[in-house]
Amino acid sequence: MSSALTGLFHHPIVQAPMAGGVSVPQLAAAVSEAGGLGFLAAGLKTADGMYQEIKQLRALTSRPFGVNVFMPQPPHPGAGPGSTAAAAAAPPDAGAVEVYAHQLAGEAAWYETELGDPDSGRDDGYDAKLAVLLDNPVPVVSFHFGAPSREVLDRLRRAGTFTLATATTVEEARAVERAGADAVIAQGVEAGGHQGTHRDLPENDGSGIGLLSLVTQIREAVGIPVVAAGGIMRGSQIAAVLAAGASAAQLGTAFLATHESGADVQHKRALTDPLFPRTELTRAFSGRPARGLVNRFMREHGPYAPAAYPEVNHLTAPLRKAAAKAGDAQGMSLWAGQGHRMARELPAGRLVEVLAEELDAARTALSAGGDGR
């Protein structure tokens, strides 16, 4: 199974699927063409929007690529098999969402827009996207916010698709393996964007595990290949996670600043702007923990944002769009990992080459007893 994964790329470099318009077909194609594994992000898109991007990507490269899908959210935070029907049917933190909407009224007035409808759906078009991916199979599909059923994974495997799912703990990694995924993505707390926790429990906020510790623990707990994700910006870091037992490294923020990235120009500039020196995990923009550059919106609203995804995400969508249109980075969701200050503005293909060169140098230095720099 490890060879099935490594056979997808020449270099053990996976471009993370970044939702919100960042992981465009041009970016994924450039990464795959350079010998890495490019990814499209189906999250926050319609099934048809996903299909159109797949067609565009196939016109740009014949090499393997992946598509990432968001898992549907349970009807209530923490709802599971043991939940009562009343709890499972209730909207998550409906009262808290309403209070948060009142708090954001000033933002809506400032940006001259309306708040979004928090009740715009919780499944992100999951079934429709699966239907497209089964009718028109792609080489790789990964899942975020949980693991699909064994039936879904088996159907994808029969269609010739390699499957992965994100895990942020050993327990989640074991769940991914039990479900039948071909590999697990170990996402450390350093990662930018949304943490891929399977159950969003507020009491677990701040308990994330660092990547090297997580990779080592997961590698010892499961028998499927591990892809390491979280704060990786240099080839020497790729060498470190490979040495810890990973089969490949997944990089998001490193590709965010590349020429082909679909990220807003303000977002790209903010990665290395001294005005944004650090990142934090916040629920301010989406209602789920996500790591981004600390800005005004995060400082003012993060402490009060409820644990209600995707309701809060729907609510703030027009605000984020308006802030981007106004060129106001202080009101945007500037997702970024802890290594953001090491971002390099390069063509994506060239970044893959540089990372591969750094990886080779690190391996050579380590075998010779050097420090890998």
Side-chain angles (χ1 to χ4, degrees), residues 4-271:
L5 172 62
T6 56
L8 294 167
F9 41 70
H10 180 67
H11 303 300
I13 298 168
V14 179
Q15 167 243 315
M18 295 169 279
V22 178
S23 296
V24 293
Q26 293 79 5
L27 173 60
V31 172
S32 290
E33 284 291 305
L37 182 66
F39 251 93
L40 293 175
L44 311 180
K45 290 187 177 73
T46 64
D48 183 63
M50 176 194 74
Y51 177 58
Q52 296 303 323
E53 289 204 347
I54 291 172
K55 288 205 302 182
Q56 292 176 44
L57 179 51
R58 282 181 165 142
L60 295 171
T61 183
S62 60
R63 298 187 62 84
F65 64 89
V67 176
N68 176 256
V69 177
F70 285 175
M71 290 297 296
Q73 298 302 290
H76 190 274
S83 302
T84 65
D93 296 305
V97 173
E98 185 176 354
V99 170
Y100 195 52
H102 285 299
Q103 180 177 330
L104 296 178
E107 297 282 351
W110 175 257
Y111 290 116
E112 299 181 340
T113 188
E114 300 289 332
L115 294 175
D117 178 6
D119 300 318
S120 297
R122 297 182 57 74
D123 67 357
D124 199 47
Y126 178 75
D127 289 336
K129 289 171 184 175
L130 281 181
V132 171
L133 293 169
L134 288 167
D135 288 342
N136 302 271
V138 299
V140 183
V141 171
S142 68
F143 296 88
H144 208 54
F145 301 145
S149 67
R150 177 171 287 277
E151 177 188 5
V152 166
L153 292 169
D154 285 347
R155 290 175 68 193
L156 286 167
R157 184 176 298 108
R158 288 195 295 270
T161 298
F162 189 92
T163 58
L164 309 92
T166 302
T168 62
T169 65
V170 169
E171 292 74 19
E172 290 177 353
R174 286 177 173 146
V176 168
E177 183 177 42
R178 286 195 302 271
D182 296 317
V184 59
I185 300 167
Q187 186 192 35
V189 72
E190 304 95 329
H194 285 91
Q195 294 286 293
T197 48
H198 293 194
R199 299 175 68 205
D200 182 20
L201 302 174
E203 58 265 33
N204 291 338
D205 285 2
S207 62
I209 305 171
L211 181 59
L212 282 176
S213 294
L214 183 64
V215 168
T216 304
Q217 292 175 45
I218 288 179
R219 189 68 189 85
E220 294 181 359
V222 302
I224 56 177
V226 178
V227 175
I232 301 173
M233 303 292 287
R234 296 287 187 265
S236 57
Q237 293 172 294
I238 298 174
V241 296
L242 296 182
S247 296
Q250 179 173 279
L251 294 75
T253 305
F255 286 102
L256 195 109
T258 58
H259 297 179
E260 293 88 348
S261 160
D264 185 277
V265 64
Q266 298 293 330
H267 194 169
K268 291 183 178 183
R269 289 173 180 167
L271 294 174

